[in-house]
């Protein structure tokens, strides 16, 4: 397990899967250890995945200053990883909340990103959060599922702020609620730094007008991949985010939720590997 040192002396870990040209992978959660990404459905057969454990997660150390969990502060950790790897420019894949980190990195270091893949990434950094209405509309697409009746009430209450997070509505985040999805969900609490997650999304971490202006000059090719059944982001929100980026294209994976490499590994890998190979 390779270790490198961040700007403030915090030891950070990354995990390598596969061989070939490196693809730097930023996890979501926010602040979930990169282990949940696995080999991204077999993408490691096409690229050498370099999966970063963000500070305070997985095998990376807890920093002395909790304020460094802020999304904008984590940009310096991504840059330290690039330097550690000796890459002039790099391809980056970011999932979910990691998408905002990748967008901030591309805005601050536009010449360092060659290709960027945003996988079901809610674009907080662009001032485009997924709304409760978005999530409920996506949830209603699942009303024929056997678990829907039990899950929808708690989900609606949670989104309204009148109920707690409930494992009953975990199926809404998956295109297929099978044993693989259940195992994935069961690991979530132990792999996530909840304290760090709250800091990650600090309002001061984001300046959407400045970020959008900086990204308008971004030369990286970008794939924005949404899940057909995902509520955060819904495909339309993904399309809105893509319009901020001059060289972006959008793909919607049929039948997929928030973790498309679990729902259809072959389809996910084909789409992402093709994008990374072209151009």
């Amino acid at each position: 397990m390779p270790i490198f040192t961040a700007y403030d002396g915090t030891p950070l870990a990354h995990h390598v899967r596969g061989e070939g040209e490196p693809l730097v992978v930023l996890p979501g959660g926010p602040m979930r250890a990169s282990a949940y990404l696995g080999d991204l459905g077999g993408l490691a057969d096409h690229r050498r995945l370099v999966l970063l454990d963000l500070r305070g997660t997985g095998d990376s150390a807890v920093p002395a200053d909790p304020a460094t969990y802020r999304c904008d502060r984590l940009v310096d950790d991504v840059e330290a990883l690039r330097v550690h790897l000796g890459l002039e420019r790099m391809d980056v894949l970011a999932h979910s909340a990691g998408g905002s980190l990748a967008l901030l990195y591309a805005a601050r270091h536009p010449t360092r990103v060659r290709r960027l893949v945003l996988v079901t990434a809610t674009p907080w950094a662009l001032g485009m959060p997924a709304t409760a209405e978005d999530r409920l509309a996506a949830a209603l697409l699942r009303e024929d599922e056997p678990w829907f009746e039990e899950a929808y009430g708690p989900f609606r209450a949670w989104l309204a702020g009148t109920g707690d997070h409930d494992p009953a509505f975990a199926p809404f985040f998956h295109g297929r609620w099978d044993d693989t999805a259940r195992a994935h969900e069961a690991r979530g609490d132990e792999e996530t730094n909840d304290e760090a997650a709250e800091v990650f999304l600090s309002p001061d971490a984001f300046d959407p007008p400045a970020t959008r202006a900086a990204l308008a000059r971004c030369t990286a090719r970008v794939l924005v991949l949404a899940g057909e059944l995902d509520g955060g982001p819904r495909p339309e929100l993904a399309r809105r985010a893509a319009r901020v980026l001059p060289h972006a294209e959008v793909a919607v994976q049929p039948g997929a939720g928030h973790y498309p490499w679990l729902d259809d590994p072959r389809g996910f890998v084909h789409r992402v590997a093709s994008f990374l190979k072209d151009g």
Side-chain angles (χ1 to χ4, degrees):
M1 178 188 60
I3 298 287
F4 65 102
T5 303
Y7 63 94
D8 61 349
T10 303
L12 302 179
H14 65 278
H15 302 266
V16 178
R17 296 188 176 93
E19 299 180 353
E21 189 175 2
L23 173 65
V24 171
V25 181
L26 306 179
M31 303 305 288
R32 184 169 178 177
S34 66
Y36 82 95
L37 295 162
D39 68 353
L40 286 170
L43 189 60
D45 292 339
H46 300 264
R47 296 291 293 265
R48 175 160 56 97
L49 306 184
V50 180
L51 301 107
L52 176 63
D53 277 343
L54 300 175
R55 55 180 54 214
T57 72
D59 293 308
S60 289
V62 173
D65 181 4
T68 60
Y69 289 134
R70 265 179 34 170
C71 186
D72 58 331
R73 302 282 294 274
L74 294 173
V75 169
D76 290 330
D77 291 348
V78 179
E79 175 63 0
L81 175 59
R82 181 195 66 81
V83 173
H84 171 73
L85 296 172
L87 300 174
E88 184 68 20
R89 301 176 73 202
M90 60 184 180
D91 293 342
V92 178
L93 182 149
H95 173 244
S96 190
S100 281
L101 175 56
L103 288 169
L104 292 185
Y105 180 85
R108 195 181 304 175
H109 300 283
T111 63
R112 299 303 189 185
V113 182
R114 182 174 56 176
R115 302 182 188 90
L116 173 60
V117 181
L118 299 173
V119 178
T120 59
T122 301
W124 287 300
L126 303 179
M128 300 178 184
T131 65
E133 291 77 14
D134 285 337
R135 295 187 182 279
L136 288 175
L140 288 171
L141 298 174
R142 318 297 297 279
E143 59 186 346
D144 292 334
E145 300 276 4
W147 44 261
F148 177 86
E149 186 174 349
E150 179 183 356
Y152 185 70
F155 190 50
R156 185 171 56 186
W158 177 65
L159 292 171
T162 60
D164 295 329
H165 192 278
D166 191 324
F169 56 70
F172 285 125
F173 294 89
H174 294 268
R176 298 187 306 179
W177 188 236
D178 55 14
D179 289 343
T180 298
R182 290 185 182 90
H184 173 92
E185 286 295 326
R187 299 192 306 269
D189 287 344
E190 66 185 54
E191 292 177 346
T192 302
N193 184 332
D194 291 326
E195 175 190 353
E198 292 183 10
V199 180
F200 179 96
L201 292 174
S202 299
D204 291 344
F206 303 116
D207 182 349
T211 300
R212 291 195 296 266
L215 290 173
R217 300 186 293 272
C218 179
T219 60
R221 292 181 58 242
V222 182
L223 172 65
V224 180
L225 192 149
E228 179 188 20
L229 303 177
D230 192 17
R234 296 192 74 196
E236 180 50 38
L237 179 55
R239 293 186 184 98
R240 284 174 51 209
R243 288 196 284 269
V244 174
L245 298 149
H247 307 287
E249 59 188 83
V250 178
V252 178
Q253 184 170 313
H258 199 59
Y259 307 95
W261 65 92
L262 298 180
D263 297 320
D264 177 9
R266 182 176 296 181
F268 173 82
V269 168
H270 175 75
R271 185 67 188 85
V272 173
S274 296
F275 171 80
L276 292 171
K277 184 177 179 180
D278 293 341

